[in-house]
Amino acid sequence: MTKSKVLLIYTGGTIGMNRNAQTGALEPYDFERLLCRVPELQELPVEIASRQFDPPIDSSDMSPRLWTELAGIIADNYADYDGFVILHGTDTMAYTASALSFLLEGLTKPVILTGSQLPIGQLRTDGKENVITAIEIAATRKADGTARVPEVCIYFNGHLMRGNRTTKLSADEFDAFESFNFPHLADAGVNIVYHDELILKPLTSHLSPLTPQLDDNVIIFSLFPGVREDLIRHIITTPRLRGIVMRTFGSGNAPHSQWLIDTLREGTRRGLVIVNVSQCLRGCVEMGRYAAGQQLQEAGVVSGHDATVEATVTKLMYLLARYDDIETVRQLMQRSIRGEISGER
């Protein structure tokens, strides 16, 4: 086979930062100088092209508009490359990976997000290995020429994870991400070991037209002991609000408060899509398991099953933008459409 072609997209983040000698603060680095810090890229049997956000952004400033812009860059260059690697700040990387997994319907090529906990110019950086291996994975093809990993993933610290199953778990360890409710798609040691049985198989042979925008009229809130009625009612009645991701206890439980159930029922009657996800990093929402969860189901709250918060909120933005029928959105929020929920796709 000919050399694989990979487009490297630099959005910003710690990997491309440089420490200011006078202030000690991290500042964005020139992208071309960043690539010079990884001369090993020249040894890869891959043709690498690059594109960057100008100016680079802190990942805390990532937004639905930028997610659609990123998806658009991939769609516009889709025919010219075998894979894509996105360099991204770690704070919102799992949100971006989740959003792209929904926007890029019909994906048949790898889109790998990676970054680092230390700038690539520092001696002990984790950035070099992350970038080199991410590019290698994005370039890998099967014997028939098709992509080995045709889905949106995060590669970090030796692990390749499905993007919409991944959450950031540490602010200061190299092992910064984990996929708690789904196994790794590949593990990189001396060799890269792919777990092919876990990798999504494309349902089509081409990328579908993009949803032009995401509906950001959604909010996430967590229940906690002592949560106040007036605050929840204020959220439910927020003008233009269309969706809520509600983080509950354990397997999807909530306080036995009549005001809470009445408020949530009022919200569903007004057309809100309210999705129940657990505050636990590992496990699944089962609203029929306890009476505390059954009352939510009776109020019209739908289950997010074992999806991450990041996947749930970006999926909700995607579906609300795509479908006018609220019942369709409620049904699809309970089903896996990109491998974000365990079970049949």
Side-chain angles (χ1 to χ4, degrees):
M1 290 186 289
T2 58
K3 280 187 177 181
S4 292
K5 298 175 66 177
V6 171
L7 180 61
L8 184 63
I9 305 169
Y10 173 58
T11 65
T14 298
I15 193 168
M17 295 290 184
N18 189 41
R19 192 171 297 280
N20 185 302
Q22 294 181 327
T23 67
L26 292 175
E27 299 173 345
Y29 207 49
D30 177 78
F31 185 58
E32 294 304 322
R33 291 176 64 194
L34 182 152
L35 292 179
C36 290
R37 293 283 189 174
V38 196
E40 295 88 345
L41 292 178
Q42 304 296 325
E43 300 178 27
L44 289 175
V46 182
E47 291 184 26
I48 303 172
S50 62
R51 179 162 178 170
Q52 72 178 96
F53 276 23
D54 187 19
I57 64 163
D58 187 293
S59 70
S60 298
D61 293 322
M62 190 52 71
S63 67
R65 179 186 63 81
L66 291 173
W67 291 333
T68 56
E69 182 178 329
L70 256 178
I73 291 172
I74 293 169
D76 291 343
N77 292 276
Y78 196 72
D80 298 326
Y81 295 93
D82 300 293
F84 303 85
V85 171
I86 300 171
L87 303 184
H88 195 289
T90 59
D91 286 346
T92 59
M93 187 184 294
Y95 285 96
T96 297
S98 296
L100 290 178
S101 76
F102 299 118
L103 287 167
L104 297 171
E105 183 179 5
L107 188 66
T108 62
K109 300 178 181 182
V111 176
I112 314 297
L113 287 86
T114 194
S116 66
Q117 294 285 65
L118 286 175
I120 206 162
Q122 290 193 12
L123 186 62
R124 293 184 54 252
T125 184
D126 54 328
K128 283 189 177 183
E129 193 280 325
N130 285 345
V131 172
I132 291 168
T133 306
I135 290 174
E136 185 174 350
I137 291 170
T140 300
R141 290 178 283 174
K142 299 178 184 176
D144 63 1
T146 59
R148 188 73 181 264
V149 189
E151 56 174 294
V152 179
C153 301
I154 288 176
Y155 176 78
F156 224 88
N157 196 45
H159 305 306
L160 182 71
M161 298 157 280
R162 179 167 298 156
N164 58 31
R165 304 303 297 261
T166 308
T167 294
K168 184 176 180 181
L169 63 90
S170 176
D172 53 13
E173 295 179 359
F174 288 157
D175 197 14
F177 289 88
E178 188 52 86
S179 173
F180 290 98
N181 287 323
F182 196 77
H184 299 159
L185 301 182
D187 294 290
V190 174
N191 298 302
I192 301 176
V193 179
Y194 293 91
H195 308 298
D196 294 314
E197 71 281 3
L198 301 174
I199 297 171
L200 291 176
K201 308 299 186 293
L203 299 179
T204 64
S205 58
H206 60 278
L207 192 67
S208 302
L210 296 180
T211 298
Q213 61 183 9
L214 298 170
D215 190 331
D216 61 0
N217 290 297
V218 302
I219 193 170
I220 303 168
F221 72 75
S222 297
L223 295 179
F224 58 91
V227 62
R228 283 173 44 180
E229 177 179 356
D230 58 331
L231 297 180
I232 298 299
R233 288 193 180 277
H234 182 72
I235 291 171
I236 293 290
T237 57
T238 300
R240 296 188 298 279
L241 183 66
R242 300 189 67 203
I244 294 174
V245 177
M246 182 173 64
R247 301 179 69 238
T248 57
F249 308 128
S251 57
N253 301 318
H256 286 86
S257 301
Q258 191 58 48
W259 68 260
L260 177 62
I261 301 307
D262 291 343
T263 303
L264 295 174
R265 184 177 288 113
E266 176 188 344
T268 57
R269 284 174 179 169
R270 292 179 59 245
L272 294 180
V273 180
I274 306 175
V275 188
N276 183 355
V277 296
S278 177
Q279 295 177 28
C280 302
L281 291 173
R282 182 176 280 112
C284 182
V285 165
E286 300 178 69
M287 289 196 290
R289 189 172 180 181
Y290 298 103
Q294 290 176 355
Q295 60 180 351
L296 298 179
Q297 202 168 21
E298 293 166 0
V301 177
V302 299
S303 175
H305 300 288
D306 64 348
T308 65
V309 171
E310 296 92 335
T312 304
V313 70
T314 53
K315 180 181 179 180
L316 193 52
M317 290 180 182
Y318 169 74
L319 293 177
L320 288 171
R322 183 163 183 178
Y323 298 101
D324 293 327
D325 180 47
I326 292 301
E327 284 306 315
T328 298
V329 175
R330 286 181 176 140
Q331 291 172 18
L332 290 175
M333 285 304 302
Q334 300 176 79
R335 289 170 40 198
S336 177
I337 62 174
R338 302 286 192 275
E340 75 283 358
I341 292 173
S342 296
E344 293 298 321
R345 183 178 177 182

